[in-house]
Amino acid sequence: MSTAEVAAHEPGARNKSISPRQIPVIGVVMADEEMQSVFKPMDLHHIITILEESDKDGLEEKQLRYVKKMVQCYQNGLPLRELTQIFKILKLCAIKVENQPRFIESVYEILQLCGLPFLKKKVSDEITYAEDTANSIALLGELMKIPNSELRIHICKCIIDFYHAEPPKKHIPGYQQASSSYKIKMAEVGGLAGTMVQSMILLENQLVEKLWVLKVLQHLSTSEANCALMLKAQAASRICAHLNDPDPSGQLLFRSSEILWNLLEKSSKEEIIQQLSNLECLLALKEVFRNLFMRGFTHYDRQLRNDLLVITTIIAQNPGAPMIECGFTRDLILFATFNEVKSQNPLIKGVKLSNSYEDFELKKLLFNIIVILCKDLPTVQLLIDGKVVLALFTYVKKPEKHKIIEWSLAQHEELQLHAIATLSSVAPLLIEDYMACQGNARILAFLEWCENQDLFFSHGNSFHGTGGRGNKFAQMRYTLRLLRAMVYLEDENINTDLCEKGTIQQLIGIFKNTIKEPSEKEEAIVLEIQSDILIILSGLCEHHFQRKEIFGTEGVDIILHVMKTDPKKLQSGLGYNVLLFSTLDSIWCCVLGCYPSEDYFLEKEGIFLLLDILALNQKKFCNLILGIMVEFCDNPKTAAHVNAWRGKKDQTAASLLIKLWRKEEKELGVKRDRSGKIVDTKHPLFTSFQEEQRIMPLPANCPSIAVMDVAENIRAKIYAVLGKLDFENLPGLSAEDFVTLCIIHRYLDFKVGEIWNEICEEIKLEKLRPVTSDRAILEAITTASKNIGKMVVSLQSEMIESQARQDMQNEQKVYSKIQGTHRQRELANKSWENFLARTSNIKTLKKAKKLQEKAIESSKYSERPHNAICHRTVIKGLNTTVSAGPVVTVESTPVRLLGGPLADTDIALKKLPVRGGALQRVKTVKTLD
């Protein structure tokens, strides 16, 4: 009964005409019937049973008929739940092909069904039947063992269809299509890639089948999981060994190189290199590359040639690869240099490179592989035979006007930079060739061109040309790298030749020009150029007094300029750290040991700048700066400069060094108490590393842990500097500094005791028994060492106690000062209160007046001298308690007799006398002129 009919017979249903909204319901019913016609019940177990039967008349026809019905049933896709049985039927049919050829059509039809989408009834079917599906797909690889060419080709086509899924021909209600990548994932899980690689062994002389298998592997190698399986099956070596097999179509070489590329990108590069590093693979690569180099003219051939050269470059990174044995290295060197050095070798007869992009890339790849090959020392003789240095030096020259070259300007510039970079690796190995080509003269001439102001419009497009657009920085940068590589060979012939040609003055001049014309845009490259110049100068001047004199004051000026750099720039990441390291190295190599340069460095406050950098507290610079300070302190003028330096908060150099000592000991884990005193008097300098390490007997030529400790931290250098500054007269030290200074002062004694302790321990471990006198000496030494430790601890304790007493006294002085201040304040307040009381209350004022008069009287002498005239100092009649004034007029002779100094003036009449009223004018005799 249909859904519409059921609705009509329901109780209470309304009778009305069928509306258009009920049409979809009828459609569903029709789809249901259609589904039943598409997937008729198939007894796949019955078909398998029939296919397994044998030796019956008419059985083959019956078997083919059943298989045909099954194929017709699943024309729209294979359900996941029935996949295992269908693939079992496929396997049974494929096995019968050899004896019953009629089954081949059935196999083709089933394989064609495998190219259709897999169908799932439930969403969980993909997970539920994952293992069965993976095993079924893996069966396709197993069927490749059947010796039937057409079957193998159809299997390959079926697998390729996994990557080109087609939509289902017809939608089947109740089923959904599995995800498009489901087959690919199941192929990975089932290990199909590995079995396909193994099947190549069966196809040695069957080109068509081999090409189909390679096409399959090309698709499978796009997955990392499949690449891992292929690598396990030795795919790289098996494919590479057959690169040179005859193939008129050219597909074998193309597909093989594509597979190798995928393997390199998606699996372990080291394992692939190991697989390809055998004579068979390299001979095949060599022949293929040689043919493409000599006879490849199309765009495709050139691309393929370059791809194979990249693969060869990767293989050449393995020192164990027989590149020389197979003759590949000699060919590559020839191909890299035939344009620049004439050769009669028939391999390059008629070969010419164009300025096409592929040939340009080939030239760069050949330069690159030379750098890799030269790391293998046996290659050096081949590089000499191939005149590689001469070929590369043809690029180290200024551009010549109006000269026709095979490359464009941009290409030539890039090759020039690449050639100079290659020379940096090759020339140090071929010193004789370098000198024969007058390498020093060529480099210096090219540097001179880089320095001058000629117009040069560089393109700066390549990796090597970074930062060189519109200038010559890129050329200068790589030329200085080449010069640096040659100088640091420490070959006296090369360095002497450079100095005779004025290299030191020329490099100082280049450095000064970079200072005068700063380029903010290319700051990082300029800093690298400056660093290389200083490194080269250090290499040339080290251990040579005359060269240090040539370096002279001009060289010291550029060092001082760098040392004045803003410390904030050290964190910019542009290369200031490297430049500063190079500068410190140049101080060590170019200044120290040359007294005029040392004195000039001191005059220009170079020691102040060194201490400023040391005060930045950056560990990477401390060791080097302290080493320079130790050497500088041999100059008697240095100590005054060091003691005169002041840092932040008026810090002295001695205080800074002691602070660095404490910081170093904290990092090393040396045991100290809160006040900085020694904790372990037996091992006062022991670090946490020394405590962890067990003492072991060592040969006489091996330094012990205690000796190595001297070189591995900065404590020894701090001791040396402070010792040369005189421990007794160090300014600006606190009590804590003095406590630490006690340890520093005894550093050498402690270290000697530490080494003797190691000797005693080694003697015990080796179970040796010293003679009586030696034992007594050892005991005396160890006892003396302990006593020194105890003495230092005692001295430190005294210092700490003395400082504590001094702090207490200072504290009491401060408190006394505070108390005095409070007392004065109280007296002032009390005086003010008394003053207010006197001015506001007459009784209080009178009382105060009486007290004042009484005090005055009591302060006078009780016995007066005989014939003494007493003068009153108090004015009678005043009702004040304040002093009358500092001046009191005293009359010993009546004024009326003398008149006084103001008797003739009007002021005298206005001034009140002390007693007797106003002054009187005395008449005087007028004198005539």
Side-chain angles (χ1 to χ4, degrees):
M1 185 180 291
S2 67
T3 307
E5 291 172 344
V6 171
H9 286 84
E10 282 180 0
R14 290 179 297 176
N15 294 323
K16 64 176 183 177
S17 61
I18 299 174
S19 67
R21 294 170 65 183
Q22 294 176 316
I23 292 173
V25 178
I26 296 172
V28 173
V29 175
M30 291 175 63
D32 229 353
E33 293 172 355
E34 190 177 344
M35 182 184 71
Q36 290 175 1
S37 65
V38 172
F39 280 137
K40 291 180 180 178
M42 291 291 298
D43 190 354
L44 297 176
H45 289 289
H46 181 61
I47 297 173
I48 292 168
T49 304
I50 292 172
L51 287 171
E52 289 174 344
E53 291 178 359
S54 59
D55 301 329
K56 285 187 179 181
D57 295 334
L59 182 62
E60 184 177 342
E61 289 292 338
K62 183 179 179 181
Q63 290 171 339
L64 289 171
R65 188 169 64 254
Y66 271 98
V67 173
K68 187 77 172 176
K69 286 181 180 180
M70 185 201 73
V71 170
Q72 289 175 353
C73 180
Y74 296 109
Q75 285 296 316
N76 292 315
L78 301 178
L80 288 175
R81 61 180 61 201
E82 298 172 2
L83 206 60
T84 304
Q85 296 168 333
I86 293 170
F87 270 84
K88 190 169 184 180
I89 292 169
L90 171 63
K91 181 180 179 182
L92 291 171
C93 292
I95 293 170
K96 293 178 180 292
V97 166
E98 191 172 358
N99 298 320
Q100 296 171 280
R102 292 178 63 189
F103 275 93
I104 192 69
E105 288 298 327
S106 298
V107 172
Y108 294 163
E109 289 173 350
I110 297 173
L111 286 173
Q112 194 171 359
L113 293 180
C114 293
L116 297 173
F118 289 169
L119 303 175
K120 58 183 179 180
K121 200 158 190 177
K122 297 178 181 178
V123 176
S124 61
D125 280 359
E126 288 188 7
I127 300 171
T128 305
Y129 299 103
E131 186 178 352
D132 294 340
T133 307
N135 294 334
S136 301
I137 292 176
L139 184 63
L140 295 175
E142 297 294 331
L143 295 180
M144 291 293 291
K145 296 176 182 178
I146 298 173
N148 186 293
S149 178
E150 289 296 322
L151 174 61
R152 288 168 174 167
I153 292 171
H154 273 79
I155 290 170
C156 290
K157 287 180 179 179
C158 175
I159 297 170
I160 292 168
D161 286 341
F162 291 176
Y163 293 84
H164 307 284
E166 297 180 1
K169 296 179 180 178
K170 196 171 185 180
H171 175 69
I172 303 172
Y175 283 89
Q176 294 178 354
Q177 181 180 345
S179 60
S180 57
S181 60
Y182 184 67
K183 289 183 183 179
I184 299 170
K185 289 178 182 177
M186 292 301 103
E188 294 173 3
V189 175
L192 178 62
T195 54
M196 292 302 292
V197 171
Q198 292 168 358
S199 69
M200 290 185 67
I201 303 171
L202 309 171
L203 311 174
E204 292 290 339
N205 301 314
Q206 300 173 37
L207 179 60
V208 178
E209 298 168 32
K210 189 189 294 184
L211 290 177
W212 275 105
V213 172
L214 287 173
K215 190 174 181 180
V216 170
L217 291 175
Q218 187 179 350
H219 283 80
L220 291 173
S221 63
T222 56
S223 157
E224 290 184 7
N226 284 335
C227 284
L229 293 168
M230 292 168 65
L231 207 57
K232 194 177 288 187
Q234 302 292 313
S237 58
R238 286 179 180 175
I239 292 170
C240 187
H242 295 281
L243 281 176
N244 203 32
D245 288 359
D247 174 28
S249 67
Q251 288 188 48
L252 186 144
L253 186 56
F254 164 69
R255 298 196 187 283
S256 298
S257 64
E258 186 74 19
I259 294 166
L260 289 174
W261 264 114
N262 289 340
L263 288 172
L264 285 167
E265 288 178 354
K266 299 182 184 298
S267 58
S268 171
K269 187 181 289 186
E270 291 75 18
E271 193 170 343
I272 293 172
I273 291 173
Q274 202 62 39
Q275 285 189 23
L276 297 178
S277 297
N278 59 69
L279 200 60
E280 186 181 9
C281 291
L282 286 171
L283 282 170
L285 262 175
K286 170 194 163 187
E287 292 302 322
V288 171
F289 180 78
R290 182 190 287 183
N291 290 334
L292 288 171
F293 187 87
M294 296 166 59
R295 303 178 185 87
F297 300 104
T298 65
H299 175 75
Y300 164 75
D301 288 340
R302 289 170 177 168
Q303 279 189 332
L304 190 56
R305 172 199 63 191
N306 291 354
D307 288 347
L308 292 175
L309 183 54
V310 174
I311 294 171
T312 305
T313 304
I314 294 170
I315 298 171
Q317 294 173 2
N318 179 16
M323 295 286 293
I324 298 174
E325 291 83 346
C326 69
F328 206 173
T329 299
R330 187 179 293 276
D331 286 355
L332 290 170
I333 292 171
L334 174 66
F335 295 151
T337 59
F338 80 96
N339 264 14
E340 294 78 21
V341 179
K342 292 182 180 180
S343 174
Q344 301 301 321
N345 195 306
L347 286 177
I348 57 171
K349 188 176 181 181
V351 178
K352 187 177 180 181
L353 297 179
S354 66
N355 63 353
S356 65
Y357 176 77
E358 288 75 23
D359 284 349
F360 174 60
E361 286 294 315
L362 171 70
K363 192 71 177 177
K364 293 196 295 180
L365 288 170
L366 288 168
F367 282 167
N368 185 54
I369 201 169
I370 284 175
V371 174
I372 294 170
L373 291 172
C374 74
K375 294 176 183 177
D376 188 15
L377 291 180
T379 310
V380 171
Q381 187 58 47
L382 296 177
L383 295 172
I384 295 171
D385 297 341
K387 299 180 180 178
V388 172
V389 173
L390 178 61
L392 293 171
F393 262 121
T394 59
Y395 291 93
V396 188
K397 58 184 179 182
K398 65 180 181 180
E400 298 179 13
K401 295 181 180 179
H402 311 298
K403 182 180 179 182
I404 300 173
I405 56 175
E406 61 270 26
W407 308 106
S408 68
L409 290 176
Q411 288 175 334
H412 183 268
E413 180 194 347
E414 191 169 344
L415 288 176
Q416 181 186 61
L417 295 171
H418 210 135
I420 298 171
T422 306
L423 269 172
S424 300
S425 300
V426 176
L429 301 172
L430 310 173
I431 296 175
E432 292 183 3
D433 285 13
Y434 174 84
M435 295 302 288
C437 295
Q438 296 184 338
N440 286 340
R442 290 181 187 235
I443 290 172
L444 295 177
F446 191 66
L447 268 178
E448 187 177 354
W449 171 78
C450 293
E451 187 186 3
N452 64 32
Q453 302 297 324
D454 293 347
L455 290 175
F456 177 70
F457 299 100
S458 62
H459 295 77
N461 295 324
S462 65
F463 166 78
H464 296 290
T466 304
R469 190 170 185 82
N471 55 54
K472 303 173 187 175
F473 282 151
Q475 284 79 2
M476 184 181 290
R477 176 193 197 182
Y478 281 94
T479 308
L480 287 170
R481 283 187 186 179
L482 170 58
L483 190 58
R484 184 185 69 189
M486 300 311 298
V487 166
Y488 265 76
L489 291 173
E490 297 183 357
D491 185 276
E492 196 54 37
N493 293 329
I494 293 174
N495 290 356
T496 302
D497 184 51
L498 283 170
C499 293
E500 288 174 354
K501 288 181 167 59
T503 305
I504 295 175
Q505 298 93 321
Q506 184 175 350
L507 291 176
I508 291 173
I510 293 172
F511 196 105
K512 285 184 173 180
N513 288 337
T514 59
I515 295 171
K516 290 177 184 176
E517 301 172 3
S519 174
E520 293 183 2
K521 186 177 180 182
E522 311 301 342
E523 187 177 6
I525 294 175
V526 172
L527 291 173
E528 184 182 339
I529 289 170
Q530 292 176 343
S531 300
D532 285 341
I533 288 173
L534 291 173
I535 290 170
I536 294 166
L537 290 170
S538 300
L540 291 174
C541 295
E542 191 173 15
H543 309 309
H544 292 84
F545 181 77
Q546 291 179 345
R547 296 176 191 173
K548 290 180 181 181
E549 287 186 329
I550 296 171
F551 183 81
T553 57
E554 289 187 354
V556 174
D557 285 335
I558 64 175
I559 288 173
L560 294 170
H561 173 82
V562 176
M563 292 176 69
K564 291 175 183 176
T565 303
D566 184 358
K568 293 178 182 177
K569 291 184 177 180
L570 295 175
Q571 310 298 332
S572 65
L574 292 174
Y576 281 99
N577 279 328
V578 178
L579 178 59
L580 188 53
F581 270 118
S582 306
T583 305
L584 296 173
D585 187 52
S586 62
I587 295 173
W588 188 283
C589 299
C590 305
V591 177
L592 288 171
C594 179
Y595 296 119
S597 297
E598 284 186 13
D599 290 345
Y600 185 75
F601 185 84
L602 291 171
E603 288 172 13
K604 294 293 182 179
E605 299 182 348
I607 287 292
F608 288 3
L609 296 173
L610 273 176
L611 289 168
D612 287 339
I613 298 170
L614 189 63
L616 295 176
N617 209 6
Q618 294 197 16
K619 191 173 178 63
K620 52 193 171 188
F621 299 125
C622 288
N623 203 8
L624 190 52
I625 292 173
L626 288 170
I628 294 169
M629 293 281 294
V630 171
E631 297 298 323
F632 250 115
C633 284
D634 289 337
N635 189 321
K637 298 178 182 178
T638 304
H641 287 263
V642 174
N643 288 328
W645 177 83
R646 292 295 181 270
K648 291 181 179 178
K649 298 181 180 179
D650 206 31
Q651 185 182 32
T652 62
S655 177
L656 172 62
L657 293 172
I658 293 170
K659 181 181 177 184
L660 288 174
W661 175 285
R662 284 197 294 267
K663 182 184 176 186
E664 184 75 4
E665 286 199 330
K666 187 177 180 181
E667 291 175 358
L668 293 172
V670 181
K671 291 181 179 179
R672 299 281 183 262
D673 65 7
R674 289 184 179 180
S675 47
K677 289 197 304 181
I678 294 171
V679 174
D680 186 358
T681 55
K682 186 178 180 181
H683 303 113
L685 299 177
F686 251 37
T687 64
S688 57
F689 176 76
Q690 287 176 279
E691 289 179 352
E692 292 170 3
Q693 297 298 313
R694 294 175 60 187
I695 295 175
M696 297 174 61
L698 295 171
N701 59 346
C702 290
S704 66
I705 297 173
V707 176
M708 289 296 295
D709 175 72
V710 175
E712 289 176 351
N713 57 68
I714 62 175
R715 291 190 292 179
K717 293 184 177 66
I718 293 173
Y719 166 77
V721 174
L722 290 175
K724 291 182 179 182
L725 294 176
D726 186 5
F727 285 107
E728 303 299 328
N729 299 307
L730 297 175
L733 300 185
S734 63
E736 186 182 12
D737 292 338
F738 278 113
V739 169
T740 307
L741 188 63
C742 292
I743 301 171
I744 300 174
H745 194 189
R746 290 291 184 172
Y747 173 78
L748 188 58
D749 296 330
F750 289 148
K751 186 55 69 174
V752 170
E754 198 175 297
I755 293 168
W756 278 110
N757 282 332
E758 283 187 339
I759 293 170
C760 294
E761 291 296 328
E762 288 184 21
I763 290 172
K764 290 178 182 177
L765 289 171
E766 292 180 357
K767 297 181 180 179
L768 297 175
R769 190 175 178 184
V771 297
T772 307
S773 57
D774 288 347
R775 190 187 309 117
I777 292 169
L778 285 173
E779 289 174 357
I781 291 170
T782 52
T783 304
S785 177
K786 289 179 185 177
N787 290 337
I788 291 172
K790 292 176 181 177
M791 181 185 70
V792 171
V793 171
S794 175
L795 182 59
Q796 287 177 321
S797 300
E798 288 179 10
M799 286 182 175
I800 292 168
E801 290 172 4
S802 174
Q803 182 61 33
R805 286 195 297 271
Q806 183 65 38
D807 291 343
M808 182 65 73
Q809 290 175 2
N810 292 338
E811 188 177 350
Q812 288 175 352
K813 286 181 181 179
V814 171
Y815 278 119
S816 299
K817 190 174 180 180
I818 293 170
Q819 287 174 352
T821 304
H822 282 289
R823 193 178 296 113
Q824 290 296 329
R825 196 172 295 163
E826 289 173 1
L827 291 173
N829 291 338
K830 191 173 182 180
S831 175
W832 176 249
E833 289 173 0
N834 291 334
F835 176 74
L836 289 178
R838 291 197 304 273
T839 55
S840 58
N841 191 337
I842 189 62
K843 292 181 180 180
T844 305
L845 179 61
K846 288 179 179 181
K847 186 178 179 180
K849 181 66 175 175
K850 287 179 181 179
L851 289 173
Q852 185 182 38
E853 290 175 351
K854 187 177 180 181
I856 291 170
E857 289 299 326
S858 62
S859 65
K860 294 178 181 179
Y861 286 108
S862 57
E863 295 181 2
R864 296 180 182 180
H866 185 66
N867 296 328
I869 299 173
C870 295
H871 302 281
R872 291 183 60 83
T873 57
V874 178
I875 303 172
K876 285 186 177 182
L878 292 179
N879 293 322
T880 62
T881 55
V882 296
S883 301
V887 180
V888 177
T889 304
V890 177
E891 297 179 2
S892 59
T893 304
V895 177
R896 54 187 175 82
L897 297 176
L898 298 177
L902 301 178
D904 293 335
T905 64
D906 294 333
I907 298 174
L909 299 176
K910 297 177 182 179
K911 186 175 179 182
L912 293 174
V914 176
R915 56 184 176 177
L919 293 176
Q920 298 177 3
R921 180 175 295 179
V922 178
K923 294 181 181 180
T924 59
V925 179
K926 184 176 181 181
T927 59
L928 298 174
D929 293 335

